[in-house]
Amino acid sequence: MTSPRDVVFPAGRQALYEQNRYSPAIRSNGFLFVSGQVGSRPDGSPEHDLPAQVRLAFQNLNSILEAAGCSFKDVIDVTVFMVNPEQNFEVAWPVVQEHWGEAPHPTLTGIGVTWLFGFQFEIKVIAKLPS
């Protein structure tokens, strides 16, 4: 029996996803649904410096997008989760903008949370797969 889920794995991180029992991304009906990405090192541990954590989250996200044959330019919807946004927004957002690209920008939902399993920032996206 085959799986109805067309899973996308970035290079070198499949063991981490298997350990945590979720798919990094699923292709479906011309879209790519990417699980929330954090600034985790290859072993899954968090990068402690917030700007470095945000850059690493985007690096992890971009490796998944690339594995699916697309890039951040194909992202149409973004959800960002941030611990203590009152304190962390001004530090994290300039780093986000480094990766945002040119207009038109994707849609965005920002959510302040109290806990992200030791992380301060998480980004989840939906991208349109190239034809």
Short mmCIF file of all heavy atoms in Angstrom, two decimals, residues 64-104:
data_model
loop_
_atom_site.label_atom_id
_atom_site.label_comp_id
_atom_site.label_asym_id
_atom_site.label_seq_id
_atom_site.Cartn_x
_atom_site.Cartn_y
_atom_site.Cartn_z
N ILE A 64 13.93 22.94 2.67
CA ILE A 64 12.72 22.16 2.34
C ILE A 64 12.13 22.67 1.03
O ILE A 64 11.77 21.87 0.15
CB ILE A 64 11.69 22.24 3.47
CG1 ILE A 64 12.22 21.52 4.71
CG2 ILE A 64 10.34 21.65 3.03
CD1 ILE A 64 11.39 21.73 5.95
N LEU A 65 12.01 23.98 0.90
CA LEU A 65 11.48 24.55 -0.35
C LEU A 65 12.32 24.09 -1.54
O LEU A 65 11.78 23.68 -2.57
CB LEU A 65 11.44 26.07 -0.26
CG LEU A 65 10.46 26.67 0.76
CD1 LEU A 65 10.71 28.17 0.91
CD2 LEU A 65 9.03 26.39 0.37
N GLU A 66 13.63 24.14 -1.39
CA GLU A 66 14.53 23.72 -2.46
C GLU A 66 14.36 22.24 -2.80
O GLU A 66 14.35 21.86 -3.97
CB GLU A 66 15.98 24.00 -2.05
CG GLU A 66 16.99 23.69 -3.13
CD GLU A 66 18.41 24.02 -2.70
OE1 GLU A 66 18.63 25.13 -2.19
OE2 GLU A 66 19.28 23.15 -2.87
N ALA A 67 14.19 21.40 -1.77
CA ALA A 67 13.99 19.97 -1.99
C ALA A 67 12.71 19.70 -2.78
O ALA A 67 12.59 18.70 -3.48
CB ALA A 67 13.97 19.22 -0.66
N ALA A 68 11.75 20.62 -2.69
CA ALA A 68 10.48 20.48 -3.41
C ALA A 68 10.52 21.16 -4.78
O ALA A 68 9.54 21.15 -5.51
CB ALA A 68 9.34 21.07 -2.59
N GLY A 69 11.65 21.80 -5.09
CA GLY A 69 11.78 22.45 -6.39
C GLY A 69 11.24 23.87 -6.43
O GLY A 69 10.87 24.37 -7.49
N CYS A 70 11.17 24.52 -5.28
CA CYS A 70 10.69 25.91 -5.27
C CYS A 70 11.56 26.75 -4.35
O CYS A 70 12.59 26.29 -3.86
CB CYS A 70 9.20 25.98 -4.92
SG CYS A 70 8.69 25.19 -3.40
N SER A 71 11.14 27.99 -4.12
CA SER A 71 11.90 28.90 -3.27
C SER A 71 10.92 29.76 -2.49
O SER A 71 9.69 29.65 -2.66
CB SER A 71 12.81 29.79 -4.12
OG SER A 71 12.04 30.75 -4.82
N PHE A 72 11.44 30.68 -1.68
CA PHE A 72 10.57 31.56 -0.91
C PHE A 72 9.71 32.43 -1.81
O PHE A 72 8.63 32.86 -1.41
CB PHE A 72 11.38 32.42 0.08
CG PHE A 72 10.52 33.04 1.13
CD1 PHE A 72 10.11 32.32 2.24
CD2 PHE A 72 10.08 34.35 1.02
CE1 PHE A 72 9.29 32.88 3.21
CE2 PHE A 72 9.26 34.93 1.97
CZ PHE A 72 8.87 34.19 3.08
N LYS A 73 10.14 32.67 -3.05
CA LYS A 73 9.34 33.44 -4.00
C LYS A 73 8.01 32.75 -4.31
O LYS A 73 7.06 33.40 -4.73
CB LYS A 73 10.10 33.66 -5.30
CG LYS A 73 11.26 34.59 -5.17
CD LYS A 73 11.99 34.75 -6.49
CE LYS A 73 13.17 35.67 -6.35
NZ LYS A 73 13.89 35.84 -7.60
N ASP A 74 7.94 31.44 -4.08
CA ASP A 74 6.72 30.67 -4.33
C ASP A 74 5.79 30.61 -3.12
O ASP A 74 4.69 30.08 -3.21
CB ASP A 74 7.09 29.24 -4.76
CG ASP A 74 7.91 29.22 -6.02
OD1 ASP A 74 7.42 29.74 -7.05
OD2 ASP A 74 9.05 28.71 -5.99
N VAL A 75 6.23 31.15 -1.99
CA VAL A 75 5.43 31.13 -0.76
C VAL A 75 4.27 32.11 -0.90
O VAL A 75 4.47 33.27 -1.27
CB VAL A 75 6.31 31.46 0.46
CG1 VAL A 75 5.46 31.67 1.71
CG2 VAL A 75 7.33 30.35 0.68
N ILE A 76 3.07 31.63 -0.57
CA ILE A 76 1.89 32.49 -0.67
C ILE A 76 1.28 32.81 0.70
O ILE A 76 0.57 33.80 0.84
CB ILE A 76 0.81 31.88 -1.59
CG1 ILE A 76 0.41 30.49 -1.11
CG2 ILE A 76 1.31 31.85 -3.02
CD1 ILE A 76 -0.73 29.88 -1.90
N ASP A 77 1.58 31.99 1.71
CA ASP A 77 1.00 32.21 3.03
C ASP A 77 2.04 31.85 4.09
O ASP A 77 2.70 30.81 4.00
CB ASP A 77 -0.25 31.35 3.21
CG ASP A 77 -0.95 31.62 4.53
OD1 ASP A 77 -1.38 32.77 4.75
OD2 ASP A 77 -1.04 30.69 5.35
N VAL A 78 2.18 32.72 5.10
CA VAL A 78 3.15 32.53 6.17
C VAL A 78 2.44 32.66 7.51
O VAL A 78 1.63 33.57 7.71
CB VAL A 78 4.28 33.59 6.10
CG1 VAL A 78 5.23 33.46 7.28
CG2 VAL A 78 5.04 33.50 4.79
N THR A 79 2.78 31.76 8.42
CA THR A 79 2.38 31.90 9.82
C THR A 79 3.66 31.91 10.64
O THR A 79 4.49 31.02 10.50
CB THR A 79 1.47 30.75 10.28
OG1 THR A 79 0.33 30.68 9.42
CG2 THR A 79 1.00 30.96 11.71
N VAL A 80 3.81 32.95 11.47
CA VAL A 80 4.98 33.08 12.33
C VAL A 80 4.51 32.98 13.77
O VAL A 80 3.52 33.62 14.16
CB VAL A 80 5.68 34.45 12.09
CG1 VAL A 80 6.71 34.72 13.17
CG2 VAL A 80 6.31 34.49 10.72
N PHE A 81 5.21 32.19 14.55
CA PHE A 81 4.97 32.05 15.98
C PHE A 81 6.19 32.63 16.69
O PHE A 81 7.33 32.31 16.33
CB PHE A 81 4.81 30.59 16.37
CG PHE A 81 3.72 29.88 15.62
CD1 PHE A 81 3.99 29.24 14.41
CD2 PHE A 81 2.42 29.86 16.10
CE1 PHE A 81 3.00 28.60 13.71
CE2 PHE A 81 1.41 29.21 15.40
CZ PHE A 81 1.70 28.57 14.20
N MET A 82 5.95 33.47 17.71
CA MET A 82 7.06 34.09 18.41
C MET A 82 6.77 34.10 19.91
O MET A 82 5.70 34.53 20.34
CB MET A 82 7.26 35.53 17.91
CG MET A 82 8.55 36.16 18.36
SD MET A 82 8.80 37.83 17.68
CE MET A 82 8.77 37.53 15.93
N VAL A 83 7.73 33.61 20.68
CA VAL A 83 7.63 33.68 22.13
C VAL A 83 7.91 35.11 22.55
O VAL A 83 8.83 35.75 22.04
CB VAL A 83 8.64 32.71 22.78
CG1 VAL A 83 8.68 32.90 24.29
CG2 VAL A 83 8.30 31.26 22.44
N ASN A 84 7.09 35.63 23.45
CA ASN A 84 7.24 36.96 24.01
C ASN A 84 7.48 38.01 22.91
O ASN A 84 8.53 38.67 22.88
CB ASN A 84 8.39 36.97 25.02
CG ASN A 84 8.39 38.22 25.86
OD1 ASN A 84 7.49 39.06 25.77
ND2 ASN A 84 9.43 38.37 26.68
N PRO A 85 6.51 38.20 22.01
CA PRO A 85 6.71 39.14 20.91
C PRO A 85 6.95 40.58 21.36
O PRO A 85 7.63 41.32 20.66
CB PRO A 85 5.44 39.01 20.08
CG PRO A 85 4.43 38.41 20.98
CD PRO A 85 5.18 37.58 21.97
N GLU A 86 6.43 40.95 22.52
CA GLU A 86 6.66 42.31 23.00
C GLU A 86 8.15 42.59 23.16
O GLU A 86 8.62 43.69 22.90
CB GLU A 86 5.95 42.55 24.35
CG GLU A 86 4.45 42.47 24.28
CD GLU A 86 3.94 41.03 24.43
OE1 GLU A 86 4.74 40.09 24.70
OE2 GLU A 86 2.73 40.83 24.27
N GLN A 87 8.89 41.58 23.56
CA GLN A 87 10.33 41.72 23.76
C GLN A 87 11.11 41.32 22.51
O GLN A 87 12.13 41.93 22.20
CB GLN A 87 10.77 40.84 24.93
CG GLN A 87 12.26 40.82 25.18
CD GLN A 87 12.64 39.89 26.31
OE1 GLN A 87 11.81 39.52 27.14
NE2 GLN A 87 13.89 39.47 26.34
N ASN A 88 10.66 40.30 21.78
CA ASN A 88 11.47 39.71 20.72
C ASN A 88 11.19 40.23 19.31
O ASN A 88 12.02 40.04 18.42
CB ASN A 88 11.28 38.18 20.72
CG ASN A 88 11.92 37.55 21.93
OD1 ASN A 88 12.90 38.05 22.46
ND2 ASN A 88 11.34 36.45 22.39
N PHE A 89 10.06 40.88 19.10
CA PHE A 89 9.71 41.31 17.74
C PHE A 89 10.78 42.23 17.13
O PHE A 89 11.21 42.02 16.00
CB PHE A 89 8.34 42.01 17.72
CG PHE A 89 7.92 42.41 16.35
CD1 PHE A 89 7.32 41.50 15.50
CD2 PHE A 89 8.14 43.71 15.88
CE1 PHE A 89 6.93 41.87 14.21
CE2 PHE A 89 7.76 44.09 14.61
CZ PHE A 89 7.16 43.16 13.76
N GLU A 90 11.19 43.24 17.86
CA GLU A 90 12.15 44.22 17.33
C GLU A 90 13.51 43.60 17.03
O GLU A 90 14.25 44.10 16.19
CB GLU A 90 12.32 45.39 18.30
CG GLU A 90 11.05 46.22 18.48
CD GLU A 90 10.57 46.88 17.20
OE1 GLU A 90 11.40 47.29 16.38
OE2 GLU A 90 9.34 46.97 17.03
N VAL A 91 13.83 42.49 17.68
CA VAL A 91 15.09 41.78 17.42
C VAL A 91 14.93 40.84 16.24
O VAL A 91 15.80 40.75 15.37
CB VAL A 91 15.53 40.99 18.68
CG1 VAL A 91 16.76 40.15 18.40
CG2 VAL A 91 15.78 41.94 19.84
N ALA A 92 13.80 40.13 16.17
CA ALA A 92 13.60 39.10 15.15
C ALA A 92 13.18 39.65 13.80
O ALA A 92 13.61 39.15 12.75
CB ALA A 92 12.57 38.08 15.63
N TRP A 93 12.33 40.67 13.79
CA TRP A 93 11.71 41.09 12.52
C TRP A 93 12.70 41.61 11.48
O TRP A 93 12.55 41.32 10.29
CB TRP A 93 10.57 42.06 12.75
CG TRP A 93 9.62 42.00 11.60
CD1 TRP A 93 9.39 42.97 10.67
CD2 TRP A 93 8.82 40.89 11.22
NE1 TRP A 93 8.48 42.54 9.74
CE2 TRP A 93 8.10 41.25 10.05
CE3 TRP A 93 8.62 39.61 11.74
CZ2 TRP A 93 7.23 40.39 9.42
CZ3 TRP A 93 7.74 38.76 11.11
CH2 TRP A 93 7.06 39.15 9.95
N PRO A 94 13.73 42.37 11.85
CA PRO A 94 14.70 42.77 10.83
C PRO A 94 15.38 41.57 10.15
O PRO A 94 15.69 41.63 8.96
CB PRO A 94 15.72 43.61 11.61
CG PRO A 94 14.95 44.13 12.78
CD PRO A 94 13.99 43.02 13.14
N VAL A 95 15.57 40.49 10.88
CA VAL A 95 16.16 39.28 10.30
C VAL A 95 15.16 38.63 9.34
O VAL A 95 15.54 38.16 8.25
CB VAL A 95 16.61 38.29 11.39
CG1 VAL A 95 17.23 37.05 10.78
CG2 VAL A 95 17.59 38.96 12.36
N VAL A 96 13.89 38.60 9.72
CA VAL A 96 12.86 38.08 8.82
C VAL A 96 12.89 38.84 7.51
O VAL A 96 12.85 38.25 6.42
CB VAL A 96 11.45 38.18 9.48
CG1 VAL A 96 10.36 37.87 8.47
CG2 VAL A 96 11.36 37.26 10.69
N GLN A 97 13.00 40.15 7.58
CA GLN A 97 12.99 40.99 6.38
C GLN A 97 14.16 40.70 5.45
O GLN A 97 14.06 40.92 4.24
CB GLN A 97 12.95 42.46 6.77
CG GLN A 97 11.68 42.87 7.50
CD GLN A 97 10.42 42.56 6.70
OE1 GLN A 97 10.27 43.00 5.57
NE2 GLN A 97 9.53 41.77 7.28
N GLU A 98 15.27 40.18 5.98
CA GLU A 98 16.41 39.80 5.15
C GLU A 98 16.03 38.71 4.15
O GLU A 98 16.66 38.57 3.12
CB GLU A 98 17.56 39.28 6.02
CG GLU A 98 18.21 40.30 6.90
CD GLU A 98 19.21 39.66 7.86
OE1 GLU A 98 19.55 38.46 7.73
OE2 GLU A 98 19.66 40.39 8.78
N HIS A 99 15.01 37.92 4.50
CA HIS A 99 14.62 36.76 3.71
C HIS A 99 13.31 36.94 2.96
O HIS A 99 12.88 36.06 2.24
CB HIS A 99 14.51 35.53 4.63
CG HIS A 99 15.78 35.23 5.35
ND1 HIS A 99 16.78 34.47 4.79
CD2 HIS A 99 16.24 35.64 6.55
CE1 HIS A 99 17.79 34.39 5.64
NE2 HIS A 99 17.48 35.10 6.71
N TRP A 100 12.66 38.07 3.15
CA TRP A 100 11.29 38.29 2.69
C TRP A 100 11.18 38.51 1.19
O TRP A 100 10.17 38.21 0.60
CB TRP A 100 10.70 39.46 3.47
CG TRP A 100 9.23 39.36 3.70
CD1 TRP A 100 8.29 40.22 3.22
CD2 TRP A 100 8.52 38.39 4.45
NE1 TRP A 100 7.05 39.85 3.64
CE2 TRP A 100 7.16 38.71 4.40
CE3 TRP A 100 8.91 37.25 5.17
CZ2 TRP A 100 6.19 37.95 5.03
CZ3 TRP A 100 7.93 36.50 5.79
CH2 TRP A 100 6.60 36.85 5.72
N GLY A 101 12.20 39.10 0.57
CA GLY A 101 12.17 39.33 -0.87
C GLY A 101 11.37 40.55 -1.26
O GLY A 101 10.97 41.36 -0.43
N GLU A 102 11.13 40.66 -2.54
CA GLU A 102 10.44 41.81 -3.13
C GLU A 102 8.92 41.62 -3.11
O GLU A 102 8.43 40.51 -3.08
CB GLU A 102 10.89 41.98 -4.59
CG GLU A 102 12.39 42.23 -4.75
CD GLU A 102 12.84 43.53 -4.14
OE1 GLU A 102 12.10 44.53 -4.27
OE2 GLU A 102 13.93 43.57 -3.54
N ALA A 103 8.20 42.73 -3.18
CA ALA A 103 6.73 42.70 -3.28
C ALA A 103 6.35 42.14 -4.64
O ALA A 103 7.11 42.26 -5.59
CB ALA A 103 6.18 44.12 -3.10
N PRO A 104 5.21 41.51 -4.75
CA PRO A 104 4.19 41.34 -3.71
C PRO A 104 4.62 40.27 -2.70
O PRO A 104 5.17 39.24 -3.06
CB PRO A 104 2.95 40.90 -4.48
CG PRO A 104 3.48 40.23 -5.71
CD PRO A 104 4.78 40.93 -6.03
#
